[in-house]
């Protein structure tokens, strides 16, 4: 059927191609001629698409297929491969015409059908304002992209053309599509290095979402255009002369940075257009990498570089493949101007990003695939996290994405000189998790360029980072507040979740055993065969954890197996004869603790954990020594004391003022006057120091300080004050 249709359109000699098709061919063969069979393949796709969309119109009144031609043209400008161009011509066939994916596969190829299918599926994903839906859809999109990145490249071109022609839609719809492009497509294009598409998208978004600012800016820019053209000539004339003399073949172009980025600078720096200097850039394009450095030297010999603005992305490419030398120099009349120097190939990659890989090499070759893999490494990492982790909430997921999408990168080195790429603002902890999750989990600090830095300090490009680990170190939720990478975040969350589960199992076990003893069914319980299965739990552990976490009550579980105990309860047994009699007897001074509402109790505090007011605590009834109060988290209570019925609830009673001993472990970088500063800090709070010892190991100092404090609040204040002093890495309660 389709074949018959096609015959009418197939042209035997190229001379009669329609102009729009010929244009696509011309664009594709700028740097490399395309073979006859490829040409026929694309022509077939063109004819098929045109016939399939026959009679359909766009909102603008044009034939629908003109949109498909435009999408293919955008991709042809990027010199993408024939299959991608053909898929672009057919990208709406399945969605909008009667043809199925099978038809496309039979008529063309599996590869092409796969691309068209991918784009169709992507188009089904709608991003609406509700964050939940958006996250789910973003996830779907990333998973489909991981399969063949060309799917998203076609989708970008599709979206770009739709953005270009938005004016035919109602205003509300225009804004919705613009916002969706801003939130989803532009950042993703940025991350994949497709700057040209990204900046055109951003300019179009800007025009729709900020129409007035956009018009104003246009006016200001066209006023300055002439000035800049003259200025650049003045700037480049001497440089060009010297380049010619040295035999360096180079071309240069200059232009305003994108409207949207200028607008952002004006807004962020709160400056008028005239005062934002970083709006105009010169790009010098050379043939060979060596020439980049020669040109850089020339430019610097005429104009003074601004040191901190110099970036060599040739030596250290960005993760998305971007390579270029960037330098900002003080030009004539003291005007700072940015100069980018790169080769032709680097320029392509900088403009087209991941798409550049379908331009130069034959598709399917091993090296190309490796390159692509490297380019989309970030994407694959993210997809890995999505697949392995049980779904974090959508909110968290969007946060992960935003972090990785919008942040720029820094390059830091391992002690062996390996480069790691991390987002801007990354901390030693991000670095540690990037090396290995176990390194992250046990990380207590890091030596950055030989100096010890705290976990939450910010790394900068060029830092050499050596991680210090300790087996006793464990992640805590405060880490989530400062780590930047999704890898670190998801690992910390996973660890905390696992920890919570362990605690629930531990507590659940206690509750269950206590209850079994109470109803005297411990033995019977042991002989039951897999009781968790009866209750439809996945495992024994999960059942017990559900008791510990409070999702199920122990009674609701045991009723199922011992109904008599609960339907006809026996008279209440003494929970603990011992505890009862003790409670009646001991009514002495409480030392600030109240026990189950009773105040007069003989109290001592566990030497193992030294609880202080404000800590969650638990009491343990001792023979003859009253009640020992421990922290709820104290290992001694958890492990050594078998008789759980001797444990009772206790609370801090606010009335009594008393001092408590606390042991603090201070980790710091060795420096002059460290001991003096630490002691002065403590004394400033009117806190007594009981004991102080310092141990120096290399350039790390471990200090053990025992102080007398009034409670948790005072201790917390002291801790943060200590942490703020120079060289102090961590302050932990022991
Ligand atoms: Mn489309």
């Amino acid at each position: 059927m389709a074949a018959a249709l096609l015959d009418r359109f197939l042209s035997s000699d190229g001379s009669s191609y329609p102009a729009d098709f010929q244009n696509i061919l011309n664009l594709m063969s700028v740097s490399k001629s395309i073979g006859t069979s490829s040409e026929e393949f694309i022509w077939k796709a063109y004819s098929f698409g045109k016939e399939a969309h026959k009679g359909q119109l766009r909102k603008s009144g044009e034939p629908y297929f003109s949109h498909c031609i435009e999408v293919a043209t955008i991709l042809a400008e990027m010199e993408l491969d024939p299959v991608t161009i053909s898929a672009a011509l057919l990208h709406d066939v399945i969605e909008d015409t009667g043809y199925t994916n099978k038809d496309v596969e039979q008529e063309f190829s599996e590869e092409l059908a796969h691309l068209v299918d991918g784009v169709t599926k992507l188009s089904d994903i709608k991003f609406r304002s509700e964050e939940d839906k958006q996250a789910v859809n973003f996830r779907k999109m990333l998973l489909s992209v991981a399969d063949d990145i060309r799917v998203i490249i076609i989708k970008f071109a599709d979206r770009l053309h739709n953005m270009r022609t938005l004016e035919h839609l109602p205003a509300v719809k225009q804004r919705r599509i613009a916002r969706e492009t801003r939130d989803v497509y532009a950042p993703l294009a940025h991350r994949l290095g497709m700057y040209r598409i990204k900046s055109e998208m951003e300019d179009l978004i800007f025009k729709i979402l900020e129409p007035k600012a956009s018009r104003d800016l246009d006016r200001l820019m066209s006023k300055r255009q002439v000035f800049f053209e003259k200025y650049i000539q003045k700037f480049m004339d001497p440089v060009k002369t010297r380049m010619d003399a040295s035999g360096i073949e180079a071309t240069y172009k200059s232009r305003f940075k994108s409207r949207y980025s200028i607008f952002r600078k004006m807004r962020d720096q709160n400056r008028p257009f005239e005062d934002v200097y970083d709006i105009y850039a010169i790009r010098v394009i050379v043939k060979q990498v060596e020439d980049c450095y020669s040109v850089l030297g020339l430019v610097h010999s005429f104009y003074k570089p601004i040191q901190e603005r110099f970036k060599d992305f040739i030596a250290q490419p960005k993760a998305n493949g971007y390579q270029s030398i960037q330098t900002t120099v003080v030009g004539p009349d003291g005007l700072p101007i940015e100069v980018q120097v790169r080769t032709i190939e680097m320029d392509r990659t900088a403009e087209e990003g991941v798409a550049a890989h379908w331009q130069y090499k034959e598709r399917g070759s091993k090296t190309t695939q490796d390159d692509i893999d490297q380019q989309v490494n970030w994407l694959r990492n993210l997809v890995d996290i999505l697949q392995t982790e049980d779904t974090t909430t959508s909110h968290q997921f969007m946060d992960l994405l935003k972090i990785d999408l919008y942040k720029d990168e820094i390059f830091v080195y391992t002690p062996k000189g390996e480069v790691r790429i991390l987002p801007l603002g990354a901390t030693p902890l991000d670095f540690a998790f990037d090396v290995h999750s176990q390194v992250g989990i046990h990380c207590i600090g890091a030596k950055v360029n030989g100096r010890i830095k705290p976990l939450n300090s910010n790394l900068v490009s060029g830092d050499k980072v050596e991680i210090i680990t300790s087996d006793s170190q464990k992640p805590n939720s405060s880490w989530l507040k400062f780590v930047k990478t999704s890898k670190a975040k998801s690992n910390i969350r996973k660890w905390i979740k696992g920890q919570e589960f362990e605690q629930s199992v531990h507590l659940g076990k206690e509750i269950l055993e206590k209850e079994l003893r109470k109803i005297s069914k411990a033995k019977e319980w042991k002989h039951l065969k897999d009781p968790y299965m009866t209750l439809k739990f996945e495992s024994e552990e999960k059942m017990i954890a559900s008791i510990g976490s409070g999702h199920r009550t122990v009674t609701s579980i045991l009723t199922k197996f011992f109904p008599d105990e609960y339907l006809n309860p026996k008279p209440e047994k003494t929970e603990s004869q011992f505890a009862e009699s003790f409670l009646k007897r001991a009514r002495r001074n409480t030392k600030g603790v109240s026990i189950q509402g009773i105040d007069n109790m003989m109290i001592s505090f566990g030497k193992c954990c030294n609880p202080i007011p404000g800590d969650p605590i638990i009491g343990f009834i001792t023979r003859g020594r009253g009640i020992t109060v421990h922290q709820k988290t104290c290992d001694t209570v958890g492990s050594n004391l078998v008789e759980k019925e001797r444990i009772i609830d206790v609370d801090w009673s606010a009335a009594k003022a008393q001092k408590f001993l606390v042991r603090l472990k201070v980790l710091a970088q060795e420096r002059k006057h460290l001991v003096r500063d630490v002691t002065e800090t403590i004394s400033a709070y009117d806190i007594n120091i009981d004991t102080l010892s310092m141990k120096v190991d290399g350039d790390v100092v471990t200090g053990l300080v025992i102080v007398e404090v009034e409670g948790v609040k005072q201790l917390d204040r002291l801790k943060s004050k200590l942490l703020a002093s120079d060289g102090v890495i961590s302050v932990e309660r022991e």
Side-chain angles (χ1 to χ4, degrees):
M1 153 205 67
L5 278 175
L6 281 165
D7 286 339
R8 286 196 280 133
F9 284 93
L10 281 174
S11 160
S12 47
D13 70 313
S15 62
S16 62
Y17 284 145
D20 50 13
F21 180 77
Q22 188 59 50
N23 181 40
I24 290 174
L25 286 188
N26 294 346
L27 287 168
M28 284 179 75
S29 39
V30 166
S31 55
K32 191 176 128 198
S33 68
I34 55 169
T36 323
S37 62
S38 293
E39 187 178 316
E40 276 167 11
F41 190 82
I42 305 166
W43 173 243
K44 192 173 154 188
Y46 178 94
S47 316
F48 189 100
K50 191 166 195 166
E51 179 63 22
H53 288 291
K54 199 173 186 174
Q56 296 175 350
L57 295 179
R58 299 199 88 210
K59 284 268 167 359
S60 61
E62 286 176 291
Y64 190 88
F65 191 61
S66 68
H67 160 69
C68 307
I69 294 169
E70 288 300 331
V71 173
T73 307
I74 291 169
L75 297 169
E77 279 164 6
M78 295 159 70
E79 294 184 55
L80 281 168
D81 65 293
V83 180
T84 308
I85 303 290
S86 308
L89 288 166
L90 298 173
H91 80 270
D92 279 328
V93 156
I94 297 176
E95 178 146 358
D96 296 335
T97 77
Y99 290 104
T100 65
N101 196 43
K102 258 239 143 58
D103 298 333
V104 177
E105 186 179 328
Q106 266 162 17
E107 210 55 58
F108 295 91
S109 68
E110 204 187 318
E111 187 187 1
L112 183 138
H114 185 72
L115 290 179
V116 173
D117 186 46
V119 179
T120 309
K121 283 189 181 130
L122 268 189
S123 307
D124 287 343
I125 304 173
K126 295 280 184 289
F127 298 93
R128 292 287 149 86
S129 51
E130 310 129 78
E131 208 164 44
D132 269 1
K133 240 199 243 166
Q134 199 171 316
V136 170
N137 289 333
F138 215 131
R139 198 174 293 154
K140 267 196 221 159
M141 175 153 129
L142 291 173
L143 289 170
S144 70
V145 173
D147 182 23
D148 189 331
I149 196 91
R150 287 178 298 171
V151 169
I152 194 87
I153 295 174
I154 298 170
K155 186 66 201 171
F156 281 146
D158 177 43
R159 175 53 60 112
L160 182 59
H161 184 249
N162 285 334
M163 286 291 295
R164 282 179 187 170
T165 51
L166 268 190
E167 78 256 26
H168 304 290
L169 297 180
V172 179
K173 214 168 172 193
Q174 286 186 21
R175 293 183 70 83
R176 182 181 69 69
I177 293 175
R179 273 195 304 269
E180 184 181 288
T181 309
R182 177 195 65 193
D183 295 340
V184 178
Y185 292 98
L188 202 51
H190 173 77
R191 198 54 184 73
L192 294 172
M194 303 170 71
Y195 288 115
R196 208 166 53 148
I197 284 198
K198 174 220 157 196
S199 38
E200 191 182 339
M201 275 180 181
E202 282 186 343
D203 284 350
L204 292 164
I205 294 162
F206 177 44
K207 206 166 131 188
I208 286 161
L209 296 184
E210 307 272 354
K212 186 176 180 307
S214 169
R215 273 196 308 273
D216 291 350
L217 191 58
D218 271 351
R219 205 163 27 79
L220 291 163
M221 280 166 73
S222 57
K223 262 195 204 161
R224 287 285 269 182
Q225 181 68 34
V226 180
F227 164 81
F228 268 118
E229 273 165 19
K230 280 197 187 129
Y231 184 85
I232 296 302
Q233 192 147 21
K234 194 162 143 195
F235 182 99
M236 281 305 285
D237 272 350
V239 180
K240 186 83 176 98
T241 311
R242 285 280 294 282
M243 286 197 297
D244 292 346
S246 323
I248 299 168
E249 281 184 63
T251 55
Y252 73 89
K253 37 191 178 182
S254 64
R255 59 171 177 192
F256 277 110
K257 295 196 168 173
S258 81
R259 279 168 178 70
Y260 183 62
S261 71
I262 296 173
F263 168 72
R264 224 171 19 206
K265 279 188 184 115
M266 289 164 62
R267 193 189 53 197
D268 295 349
Q269 301 170 9
N270 195 19
R271 286 174 181 199
F273 179 76
E274 296 73 28
D275 295 348
V276 182
Y277 64 78
D278 201 13
I279 57 174
Y280 213 79
I282 304 173
R283 183 174 302 157
V284 183
I285 295 166
V286 296
K287 290 224 158 129
Q288 307 163 53
V289 179
E290 304 86 82
D291 293 344
C292 295
Y293 294 95
S294 311
V295 170
L296 178 74
L298 274 180
V299 171
H300 284 181
S301 74
F302 286 103
Y303 309 108
K304 193 176 176 305
I306 299 170
Q307 198 61 43
E308 65 274 13
R309 299 281 313 252
F310 174 75
K311 283 174 199 144
D312 183 356
F313 291 116
I314 293 180
Q316 299 296 345
K318 286 194 188 185
N320 62 20
Y322 175 88
Q323 283 190 296
S324 188
I325 289 175
Q326 285 175 206
T327 185
T328 302
V329 297
V330 183
D333 310 319
L335 199 66
I337 201 104
E338 185 180 307
V339 183
Q340 304 169 343
V341 192
R342 54 208 195 200
T343 65
I344 300 165
E345 190 164 1
M346 288 172 194
D347 191 44
R348 281 260 169 117
T349 308
E351 297 274 297
E352 326 289 10
V354 71
H357 288 278
W358 276 275
Q359 299 165 344
Y360 285 91
K361 295 152 196 152
E362 283 303 311
R363 275 224 344 106
S365 77
K366 176 85 174 62
T367 49
T368 311
Q369 197 51 50
D370 283 353
D371 272 352
I372 295 158
D373 283 351
Q374 214 182 8
Q375 290 254 351
V376 293
N377 217 349
W378 160 82
L379 205 58
R380 286 178 202 279
N381 268 339
L382 200 58
V383 170
D384 277 352
I385 293 172
L386 298 185
Q387 282 169 333
T388 52
E389 215 179 351
D390 61 321
T391 344
T392 47
T393 70
S394 305
H395 189 76
Q396 287 170 352
F397 175 76
M398 288 312 281
D399 280 351
L400 291 186
L401 273 179
K402 275 179 196 147
I403 290 161
D404 278 350
L405 286 174
Y406 292 100
K407 289 280 154 65
D408 268 316
E409 290 147 343
I410 56 165
F411 309 94
V412 291
Y413 298 87
T414 66
K416 283 181 190 154
E418 261 174 67
V419 180
R420 299 263 165 183
I421 302 170
L422 295 171
L424 193 70
T427 62
L429 204 49
D430 290 297
F431 180 91
F433 276 105
D434 196 56
V435 172
H436 195 278
S437 59
Q438 284 303 313
V439 177
I441 283 166
H442 296 297
C443 176
I444 51 167
K447 273 192 193 172
V448 177
N449 306 323
R451 280 184 61 85
I452 295 193
K453 287 276 178 72
L455 286 181
N456 62 353
S457 54
N458 285 349
L459 297 173
V460 296
S461 271
D463 277 348
K464 198 168 141 192
V465 188
E466 188 185 339
I467 294 299
I468 307 169
T469 57
S470 155
D471 283 348
S472 61
Q473 176 71 313
K474 293 168 197 160
N476 62 62
S477 54
S478 72
W479 288 10
L480 289 170
K481 286 181 199 139
F482 60 79
V483 293
K484 292 286 183 299
T485 55
S486 27
K487 202 169 175 183
K489 284 202 178 191
S490 76
N491 270 304
I492 296 166
R493 280 207 194 95
K494 211 191 273 175
W495 197 90
I496 292 172
K497 231 184 203 172
Q499 205 61 16
E500 280 168 1
F501 182 75
E502 249 175 55
Q503 277 169 9
S504 294
V505 173
H506 188 79
L507 188 63
K509 220 178 203 155
E510 276 182 28
I511 297 173
L512 180 67
E513 281 168 7
K514 199 166 174 178
E515 181 67 14
L516 283 169
R517 266 197 302 273
K518 189 176 146 194
I519 61 170
S520 309
K521 293 290 180 199
K523 252 195 203 133
E524 287 88 335
W525 177 260
K526 260 190 199 132
H527 290 113
L528 285 176
K529 202 179 161 340
D530 298 331
Y532 70 90
M533 286 173 90
T534 319
L535 292 167
K536 306 219 177 344
F537 280 97
E538 279 170 54
S539 68
E540 173 118 21
E541 260 201 334
K542 284 202 171 160
M543 178 182 72
I544 291 172
S546 80
I547 303 173
S549 65
H551 284 94
R552 290 288 292 263
T553 63
V554 69
T555 334
S556 79
I557 287 187
L558 290 180
T559 311
K560 192 97 187 163
F561 304 98
F562 311 111
D564 290 349
E565 298 302 318
Y566 295 97
L567 295 176
N568 310 304
K570 291 173 188 147
E572 185 91 355
K573 275 186 183 174
T574 46
E575 187 167 311
S576 161
Q577 300 277 2
F578 179 76
E580 290 258 320
S581 59
F582 177 84
L583 284 169
K584 278 181 199 133
R585 225 177 48 232
R587 300 240 156 164
R588 270 181 265 163
N589 203 9
T590 68
K591 273 182 160 183
V593 177
S594 72
I595 289 114
Q596 291 174 342
I598 304 158
D599 256 358
N600 303 311
M601 228 16 101
M602 189 164 90
I603 300 285
S604 63
F605 294 96
K607 291 274 182 291
C608 40
C609 57
N610 289 306
I612 59 170
D615 286 335
I617 44 171
I618 202 143
F620 178 70
I621 302 162
T622 58
R623 291 174 207 272
R625 280 187 294 116
I627 290 175
T628 319
V629 176
H630 294 263
Q631 287 194 47
K632 262 196 178 143
T633 52
C634 177
D635 289 340
T636 319
V637 183
S639 58
N640 296 351
L641 306 176
V642 202
E643 297 163 82
K644 306 287 179 202
E645 63 270 26
R646 290 218 252 149
I647 288 176
I648 61 168
D649 288 334
V650 291
D651 283 312
W652 295 105
S653 63
K656 298 273 195 289
Q658 212 199 327
K659 300 257 180 180
F660 293 83
L661 286 182
V662 172
R663 269 179 2 149
L664 291 176
K665 189 167 139 192
V666 180
L667 202 65
Q669 162 124 30
E670 159 74 333
R671 67 169 170 87
K672 242 187 175 173
H673 304 312
L674 179 72
V675 177
R676 188 198 67 191
D677 290 354
V678 167
T679 50
E680 275 178 4
T681 306
I682 298 172
S683 311
Y685 278 94
D686 206 15
I687 292 173
N688 286 331
I689 300 177
D690 187 89
T691 314
L692 172 74
S693 74
M694 293 270 183
K695 201 177 87 208
V696 183
D697 177 16
D699 38 13
V700 188
V701 180
T702 315
L704 215 56
V705 196
I706 300 180
V707 289
E708 280 183 15
V709 293
E710 282 158 13
V712 166
K713 272 190 190 152
Q714 192 189 31
L715 179 66
D716 282 345
R717 278 198 299 272
L718 174 65
K719 271 166 76 178
S720 46
K721 190 76 189 177
L722 282 173
L723 265 176
S725 39
D726 195 27
V728 174
I729 303 156
S730 67
V731 180
E732 306 277 348
R733 205 164 132 201
E734 281 277 280

